[in-house]
Amino acid sequence: MTVEINTSLGRIDVSNDVIATIAGGAAVDCFGLVGMASRKALKDGFTELLGKENLSRGVNVLEQDGQIEIDLFIIVSYGVKISEVAHNVQTKVKYTLNQTLGLDVSGVNVYVQGVRVSEP
């Protein structure tokens, strides 16, 4: 599936994988975020922390009636306010997609899959 952007010079088709990679990269830059989690449901209470090469696997891009909605599955650091981290991720992803691709994202849904306690 692709998102179509029409300009005065022609048409641009952007793959959902590209949108997911940009959104994942923007999310990882936020304070309090340890990384992206797999979109799969929890297996035996463990979530899979994805590396930087797999950022798009923690992002789901939905397109309905010309509206784009992003689902992010994240793991946060212990001791941070989860609601603030989620809000920062929503704001940063929406802003980055607007500035990079000119996309007007209708919603950014954040699903916190886990909390990571760092080693002392």
Side-chain angles (χ1 to χ4, degrees):
M1 217 186 232
T2 62
V3 174
E4 184 176 308
I5 303 170
N6 291 313
T7 66
S8 60
L9 299 175
R11 184 182 77 180
I12 302 170
D13 289 331
V14 181
S15 168
N16 284 354
D17 289 336
V18 172
I19 296 170
T21 302
I22 293 171
V28 169
D29 286 342
C30 292
F31 175 77
L33 189 77
V34 174
M36 304 299 290
S38 178
R39 290 182 286 204
K40 301 173 191 170
L42 294 174
K43 290 183 179 179
D44 300 327
F46 295 104
T47 56
E48 179 186 356
L49 182 63
L50 302 174
K52 291 198 182 280
E53 65 279 351
N54 295 325
L55 293 177
S56 64
R57 283 182 43 208
V59 181
N60 194 14
V61 180
L62 305 169
E63 182 186 3
Q64 294 178 354
D65 303 326
Q67 300 287 326
I68 297 174
E69 197 168 295
I70 309 290
D71 292 339
L72 297 164
F73 300 87
I74 65 172
I75 298 174
V76 298
S77 178
Y78 179 79
V80 297
K81 191 172 181 180
I82 294 175
S83 62
E84 285 298 318
V85 173
H87 181 266
N88 289 342
V89 167
Q90 289 173 323
T91 306
K92 174 105 180 188
V93 167
K94 191 169 185 175
Y95 175 79
T96 302
L97 287 174
N98 190 356
Q99 292 299 309
T100 327
L101 299 173
L103 293 178
D104 187 27
V105 179
S106 63
V108 178
N109 304 314
V110 176
Y111 299 94
V112 179
Q113 297 288 79
V115 176
R116 175 67 54 101
V117 179
S118 61
E119 298 290 326

